[in-house]
């Protein structure tokens, strides 16, 4: 029996390592988004500062480990075997849940997930105990610390609204003071702003870090607590003087210093407070195992776990090891960058591809806000409005120094406000013993500051609002799913036996592996898309590659679709449908980037810009023609309708060959830039058009002879029509590419 539970403890720690990896991938957004979004420093510097913060914070987290042992349920009401079931259910659920959110690129709260997993698993085991003892369900309150769960929910709701409002108000004031032309205002107010910011984050690091440090004595903690005002005052004055001198002598960028200090502070707080979410449960399981082993040969089903109610120190070496795992994950995780990208995209100052679609609610909110704003502007004097608006005019001179891909999502003033406000709000919540999530606070502060900074204009507001509510909805779904899944797993193990633990571990491994390959596939597709659009700084090369890919995709989708229909091969026809959907997405992305691409062209290239727009439009038309061709074929075959008659199948086979010849000729012509062969392609297009007209006439004869049905005729005519459209749009695409090359080389 000892070997079995030793294996469970080892599995718990293995799951903890996995949980650390997926957890850091999620929570990295808390402390990286401001530095990365503002491009305050090279990425290696940002990750280096964050890594040091994570390592320092990990050693501060010992005091937080009590949450997993006694914060959600009363451990003295459970036996050792039951406690291990709860802990296993929690860790299995946490790994699956966090990995799923990371794959989707959505930030969620590891605090909420672990709390509700503990709650769900404990409730399930408690219900089984109550039923076995023949007690009433009203006895559940003896097992569960329901007040704690309710306090956490209340804290979440409050933190979401308060963080958003405070972030918006502080950013608005900061922008009025500094405007976007910070080179004029920082020399007057920059050092005081920096002193205030760093003093605030000093308070944050003391409150959130020192109290839980494994190496801090009680006297040191009391000294810091009793002298906090003096420490803050000295910090404010000292940093103000230091920053002013550094600015005057070395022209140091004060907001950059604030951002890097803030990144360190939030990284430290994350590791110091959220590390419990990943290793708190395994450490509690390890402590339980040691206590059970020390108790002698007592049955695990009768060994009470009251010892978890006391204080159990966590070895510092375990915290340091966990810190190093977090650092490695932070630097190497691609999923972490995906989650960070979601927050940065929702808060960026400029236009661009929007990650989320609009919703009826977001559209209503935008319309209402516009109406209120119009009414407000009628009341306020025009002079005041102009004065206020001037503070929010972007610094175009500064932005023009960057290439599009190098432009920061927002400036360092906003990044500083994000970090300072989030730090102080989390500090206040902690000092008042209010449970709140660092993820929720940092995300909502970032959303509030972006709104105040007028990043949500009429071009993007509906998408940003939808994105924010999608993320918030995901947070509350986290609580529901975490509770339900952990409860289900704990219940199944409790009634079926311990062998189910290993079944669920295998399920977790399978699901994490599956999401890994799904994410890897998506990441590869994204890289390919970016490579297609960013293969070179020369628009000529990018456009040529787009046109070549369009011709190849059109040829493949067309040939495979009709050939699969002839052979009644549903699987290949469905694949062809999927290929066309991917092709449509690529073409849409190219269409969405028309604005930035035309801006890249030289000012005098008016005609080449027009040609480029035509190229993108014809690509879109080709994708539409393919869609209108493939979908009816797939629907016809899927519904098991009669195939084409034999003569029609022969005609379709010949048509595939002729269309293939047409695409091959156009492909080589574009690839080799040999547009002198355009007349040859044009002649082939005319030949194809004549062929299609003849096929239409033959079909009409079959209709009159009643050799074919109505459904057959509609489908056949549709193939002919879309083939005509496909050939026509393809020849126009090649013509536009020829003209584009000619204009660009002049």
């Amino acid at each position: 029996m000892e070997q079995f539970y030793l294996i469970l403890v080892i599995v718990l720690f293995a799951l903890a390592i996995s949980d650390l990896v997926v957890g850091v991938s999620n929570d990295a957004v808390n402390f990286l988004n401001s530095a990365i979004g503002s491009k305050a420093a090279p990425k290696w510097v940002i990750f280096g500062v964050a890594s040091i913060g994570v390592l320092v914070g990990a050693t501060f987290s010992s005091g937080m480990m009590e949450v997993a042992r006694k914060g959600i349920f009363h451990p003295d009401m459970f036996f050792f075997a039951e406690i291990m079931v709860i802990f296993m259910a929690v860790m299995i659920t946490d790994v699956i849940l966090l990995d799923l959110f990371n794959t989707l690129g959505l930030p969620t709260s590891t605090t909420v997930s672990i709390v509700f997993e503990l709650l769900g698993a404990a409730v399930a085991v408690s219900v089984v105990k109550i039923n076995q003892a023949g007690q009433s369900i009203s006895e559940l309150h003896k097992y569960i610390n329901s007040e704690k769960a309710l306090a956490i929910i209340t804290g979440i709701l409050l933190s979401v609204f308060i963080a958003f409002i405070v972030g918006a108000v502080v950013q608005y004031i900061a922008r009025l003071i500094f405007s976007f032309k910070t080179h004029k205002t920082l020399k007057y107010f920059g050092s005081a702003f920096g002193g205030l910011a760093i003093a605030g984050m000093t308070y944050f690091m003391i409150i959130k870090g020192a109290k839980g440090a494994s190496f801090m004595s009680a006297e040191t903690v009391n000294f810091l607590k009793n002298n906090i005002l003096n420490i803050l005052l000295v910090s404010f004055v000292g940093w103000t003087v230091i920053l002013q001198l550094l600015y005057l002598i070395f022209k140091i960028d004060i907001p950059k210093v604030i951002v890097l200090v803030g990144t360190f502070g939030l990284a430290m707080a994350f590791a110091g407070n959220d590390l419990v979410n990943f290793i708190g449960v395994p450490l509690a399981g390890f402590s339980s195992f040691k206590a059970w082993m020390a108790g002698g040969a007592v049955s695990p089903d009768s060994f009470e776990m009251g010892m978890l109610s006391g204080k159990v120190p966590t070895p510092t070496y375990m915290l340091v090891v966990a810190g190093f795992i977090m650092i490695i994950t932070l630097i190497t995780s691609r999923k972490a960058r995906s989650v960070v990208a979601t927050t940065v995209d929702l808060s960026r100052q400029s236009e661009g591809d929007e990650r989320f679609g609009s919703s009826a609610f977001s559209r209503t909110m935008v319309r209402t806000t516009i109406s209120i704003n119009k009414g407000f502007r009628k009341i306020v004097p025009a002079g005041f409005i102009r004065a206020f608006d001037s503070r929010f005019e972007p610094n175009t001179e500064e932005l023009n120094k960057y290439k599009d891909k190098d432009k920061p999502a927002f400036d360092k003033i906003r990044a500083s406000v994000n970090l300072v406000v989030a730090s102080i709000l989390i500090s206040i919540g902690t000092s008042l013993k209010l449970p709140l999530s660092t993820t929720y606070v940092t995300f909502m502060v970032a959303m509030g500051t972006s709104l105040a900074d007028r990043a949500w204009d009429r071009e993007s507001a509906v998408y940003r609002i939808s994105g924010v509510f999608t993320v918030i909805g995901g947070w509350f779904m986290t609580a529901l799913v975490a509770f339900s899944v952990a409860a289900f797993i704990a219940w199944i193990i409790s009634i079926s036996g311990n062998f189910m633990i290993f079944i669920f571990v295998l399920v977790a491994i399978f699901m994490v592996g599956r999401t890994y390959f799904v994410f890897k596939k998506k990441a590869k597709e994204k890289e390919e898309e970016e490579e297609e659009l960013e293969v070179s700084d020369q628009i000529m090369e990018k456009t040529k590659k787009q046109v070549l890919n369009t011709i190849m995709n059109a040829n493949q989708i067309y040939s495979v679709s009709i050939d699969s229909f002839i052979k009644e091969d549903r699987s290949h026809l469905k694949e062809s449908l999927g290929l066309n959907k991917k092709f449509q997405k690529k073409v849409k992305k190219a269409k969405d980037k028309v604005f930035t691409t035309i801006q890249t062209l030289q000012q005098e290239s008016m005609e080449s810009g027009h040609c480029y727009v035509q190229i993108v439009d014809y690509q879109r038309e080709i994708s539409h023609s393919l869609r209108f061709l493939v979908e009816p074929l797939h629907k016809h075959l899927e519904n098991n309708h009669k195939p084409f008659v034999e003569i029609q199948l022969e005609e379709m086979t010949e048509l595939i060959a002729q269309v293939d010849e047409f695409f091959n000729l156009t492909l080589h012509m574009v690839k080799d830039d040999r547009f002198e062969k355009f007349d040859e392609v044009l002649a082939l297009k005319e030949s194809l058009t004549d062929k299609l007209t003849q096929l239409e006439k033959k079909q009409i004869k079959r209709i009159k002879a009643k050799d074919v049905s109505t459904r057959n005729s509609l489908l056949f005519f549709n193939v002919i029509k879309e083939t005509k459209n496909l050939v026509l749009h393809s020849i126009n695409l090649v013509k536009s590419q020829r003209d584009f090359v000619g204009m660009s080389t002049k």
Side-chain angles (χ1 to χ4, degrees):
M1 188 61 72
E2 289 88 350
Q3 287 81 3
F4 172 76
Y5 283 104
L6 178 61
I7 291 171
L8 287 194
V9 171
I10 293 170
V11 171
L12 274 177
F13 276 102
L15 288 171
I17 293 171
S18 176
D19 207 26
L20 270 172
V21 172
V22 296
V24 172
S25 297
N26 175 83
D27 281 7
V29 68
N30 297 347
F31 50 87
L32 289 181
N33 69 308
S34 293
I36 290 177
S38 64
K39 299 195 174 179
K43 282 190 177 180
W44 68 269
V45 174
I46 294 170
F47 280 97
V49 169
S51 297
I52 296 170
V54 165
L55 189 60
V56 173
T59 63
F60 284 6
S61 64
S62 178
M64 297 298 295
M65 296 300 164
E66 307 299 320
V67 176
R69 286 191 279 263
K70 60 183 180 180
I72 306 303
F73 55 87
H74 301 297
D76 53 302
M77 298 297 293
F78 296 91
F79 299 122
F80 173 62
E82 295 163 343
I83 284 287
M84 292 303 288
V85 169
I86 291 172
F87 290 161
M88 288 301 303
V90 167
M91 292 306 295
I92 291 168
T93 305
D94 207 46
V95 170
I96 294 172
L97 189 63
L98 292 181
D99 187 69
L100 177 63
F101 271 86
N102 293 343
T103 303
L104 296 174
L106 295 175
T108 191
S109 172
T110 53
T111 304
V112 170
S113 63
I114 201 74
V115 165
F116 278 89
E117 284 153 7
L118 283 165
L119 183 62
V123 166
V125 173
S126 301
V127 169
V128 172
K129 281 175 65 74
I130 289 169
N131 287 337
Q132 289 174 347
Q135 298 174 334
S136 168
I137 197 69
S138 60
E139 299 292 313
L140 187 62
H141 71 279
K142 294 180 180 179
Y143 299 86
I144 305 301
N145 190 350
S146 54
E147 291 180 5
K148 184 74 172 180
L150 184 62
I152 288 173
I153 295 171
T154 305
I156 290 168
L157 292 171
L158 286 173
S159 67
V160 166
F161 291 106
I162 292 173
F164 184 82
I165 293 168
V166 173
V169 171
V170 173
Q171 177 60 34
Y172 194 80
I173 294 170
R175 190 59 70 194
L176 288 177
I177 294 171
F178 291 102
S179 78
F180 279 98
K181 298 178 175 63
T182 53
H183 61 282
K184 296 180 179 178
T185 51
L186 277 174
K187 58 185 177 183
Y188 300 113
F189 310 111
S191 58
F193 175 64
L196 182 65
I198 297 176
M201 283 184 283
T202 302
Y203 172 68
F204 167 75
M205 284 185 272
I206 291 173
I207 291 294
K208 290 293 284 180
K211 291 198 303 181
S214 57
F215 53 82
M216 283 280 189
S217 65
E219 293 78 12
T220 305
V221 172
N222 287 330
F223 173 80
L224 292 173
K225 188 175 180 181
N226 295 331
N227 294 276
I228 190 67
L229 289 177
N230 292 332
I231 293 171
L232 289 177
L233 183 60
V234 171
S235 177
F236 169 67
V237 174
W239 279 108
T240 300
V241 173
I242 291 170
L243 290 173
Q244 185 64 36
L245 290 173
L246 289 173
Y247 178 80
L248 293 173
I249 299 170
F250 300 106
K251 300 298 179 184
I252 191 169
D253 189 347
I254 294 174
K256 179 185 288 189
V257 175
I258 299 171
V259 171
L260 292 177
V261 172
T263 300
F264 171 85
L266 273 180
M268 190 193 80
F270 152 71
N273 293 269
D274 290 2
L275 185 58
V276 66
N277 302 340
F278 315 125
I279 68 170
V281 168
L283 287 175
F286 183 51
S287 300
S288 304
F289 176 75
K290 287 196 297 183
W292 176 62
M293 290 294 291
V298 181
S299 169
D301 295 317
S302 59
F303 184 76
E304 295 182 352
M305 298 306 300
M307 53 78 58
L308 289 181
S309 299
K311 187 172 180 62
V312 183
T314 304
T316 302
Y317 77 89
M318 286 190 173
L319 302 177
V320 173
V321 170
F324 276 111
I325 293 172
M326 294 162 81
I327 290 170
I328 294 168
T329 303
L330 181 66
I331 295 171
T332 60
S333 174
R334 297 178 70 178
K335 288 186 179 182
R337 295 172 193 182
S338 172
V339 179
V340 171
T342 299
T343 303
V344 171
D345 285 349
L346 285 173
S347 58
R348 69 170 180 262
Q349 195 73 29
S350 59
E351 297 177 17
D353 294 335
E354 298 296 340
R355 192 173 285 246
F356 300 91
S358 67
S359 62
F361 177 74
S362 65
R363 291 192 291 270
T364 302
M365 281 194 69
V366 171
R367 277 194 291 268
T368 304
T369 305
I370 290 171
S371 299
I372 293 171
N373 186 51
K374 286 179 179 177
F376 181 77
R377 284 177 172 264
K378 289 178 182 178
I379 299 170
V380 178
F384 277 101
I385 291 175
R386 283 195 297 272
F388 275 69
D389 286 347
S390 67
R391 310 302 290 176
F392 291 87
E393 290 176 0
N395 188 353
T396 52
E397 291 181 10
E398 181 67 23
L399 291 175
N400 288 336
K401 295 178 183 177
Y402 300 95
K403 294 181 179 179
D404 286 336
K405 62 180 180 180
D406 296 328
K407 283 182 181 178
F410 42 81
D411 69 355
K412 289 187 281 290
I413 294 294
R414 173 138 60 103
S416 303
V417 172
N418 285 344
L419 292 163
V420 173
V421 172
S423 300
I424 292 174
L425 286 178
I426 294 169
S427 304
I428 293 171
T430 302
S431 64
L432 296 175
K433 297 183 180 179
L434 292 174
L436 40 77
S437 165
T438 53
T439 302
Y440 292 5
V441 172
T442 53
F443 179 83
M444 292 309 295
V445 166
M447 295 305 101
T449 57
S450 62
L451 174 65
D453 227 12
R454 301 189 181 181
W456 297 7
D457 61 9
R458 292 184 67 166
E459 298 294 330
S460 61
V462 289
Y463 309 111
R464 306 285 175 89
I465 292 170
S466 289
V468 170
F469 279 94
T470 298
V471 173
I472 293 174
W475 294 345
F476 290 100
M477 280 298 295
T478 302
L480 179 62
V481 174
F483 179 91
S484 304
V485 175
F488 174 76
I489 292 174
W491 177 70
I492 291 293
I493 295 171
S494 298
I495 64 173
S496 301
N498 289 330
F499 75 94
M500 288 301 299
I501 291 175
F502 300 102
I503 300 296
F504 282 118
V505 168
L506 291 175
V507 170
I509 293 171
F510 169 76
M511 293 190 70
V512 169
R514 186 175 181 275
T515 55
Y516 169 78
F517 286 111
V518 168
F519 180 84
K520 189 175 180 181
K521 184 180 177 183
K522 287 183 178 178
K524 187 177 179 182
E525 289 175 358
K526 188 175 181 181
E527 283 178 4
E528 287 174 355
E529 288 172 6
E530 289 176 353
E531 186 181 339
E532 286 173 14
L533 297 176
E534 302 295 338
V535 68
S536 166
D537 289 335
Q538 299 297 321
I539 302 299
M540 289 266 302
E541 291 181 34
K542 292 191 290 184
T543 307
K544 182 177 179 178
K545 188 160 187 176
Q546 287 177 23
V547 172
L548 288 172
N549 283 336
T550 299
I551 294 170
M552 288 188 289
N553 276 304
N555 192 11
Q556 181 186 9
I557 294 167
Y558 182 87
S559 301
V560 171
S561 298
I562 297 183
D563 186 62
S564 300
F565 181 79
I566 291 171
K567 296 175 181 176
E568 297 190 64
D569 187 343
R570 288 181 178 80
S571 62
H572 277 88
L573 188 55
K574 191 173 182 180
E575 285 179 16
S576 186
L577 199 62
L579 282 173
N580 189 51
K581 286 181 180 177
K582 287 182 181 178
F583 175 53
Q584 282 185 293
K585 285 181 181 178
K586 289 181 181 180
V587 171
K588 186 180 182 301
K589 283 206 169 190
K591 180 80 173 175
D592 292 340
K593 289 181 177 287
V594 163
F595 178 78
T596 53
T597 304
I598 290 176
Q599 278 189 321
T600 309
L601 293 169
Q602 295 179 355
Q603 290 293 328
E604 62 271 15
S605 303
M606 189 71 70
E607 292 298 325
S608 61
H610 173 66
C611 291
Y612 181 79
V613 171
Q614 285 187 315
I615 287 170
V616 175
D617 284 340
Y618 288 130
Q619 287 176 325
R620 199 81 194 272
E621 292 300 327
I622 288 170
S623 72
H624 289 327
S625 294
L626 289 168
R627 175 191 163 197
F628 296 140
L629 173 80
V630 180
E631 286 183 354
L633 290 173
H634 180 261
K635 184 179 178 182
H636 189 95
L637 201 59
E638 198 68 22
N639 290 328
N640 300 304
H641 297 312
K642 291 180 181 179
F644 284 155
V645 297
E646 189 172 344
I647 185 65
Q648 288 176 311
L649 296 177
E650 291 175 4
E651 291 169 351
M652 288 293 106
T653 304
E654 291 176 10
L655 184 61
I656 291 174
Q658 285 187 274
V659 171
D660 188 59
E661 182 186 356
F662 168 79
F663 278 124
N664 280 333
L665 187 58
T666 56
L667 182 69
H668 286 97
M669 184 175 64
V670 174
K671 187 177 181 181
D672 300 332
D673 290 327
R674 299 185 64 182
F675 292 104
E676 65 272 11
K677 288 190 174 183
F678 185 75
D679 289 340
E680 187 179 335
V681 175
L682 202 57
L684 191 55
K685 175 253 178 186
E686 294 298 331
S687 174
L688 254 175
T689 304
D690 292 341
K691 171 74 173 177
L692 293 167
T693 303
Q694 290 172 15
L695 290 177
E696 280 183 337
K697 290 178 179 178
K698 288 179 181 179
Q699 181 68 8
I700 292 169
K701 286 182 182 179
R702 287 191 284 267
I703 292 171
K704 293 196 176 205
K706 297 184 179 180
D707 293 334
V708 291
S709 65
T710 303
R711 199 181 300 278
N712 175 294
S713 298
L714 289 174
L715 185 64
F716 191 85
F717 283 137
N718 183 73
V719 171
I720 301 303
K721 183 188 76 171
E722 295 307 333
T723 304
K724 279 183 181 178
N725 290 338
L726 182 63
V727 171
L728 176 63
H729 296 317
S730 298
I731 204 75
N732 286 333
L733 174 67
V734 173
K735 184 181 177 183
S736 297
Q737 172 65 9
R738 180 196 66 182
D739 295 342
F740 181 70
V741 171
M743 295 290 179
S744 301
T745 53
K746 283 183 180 179

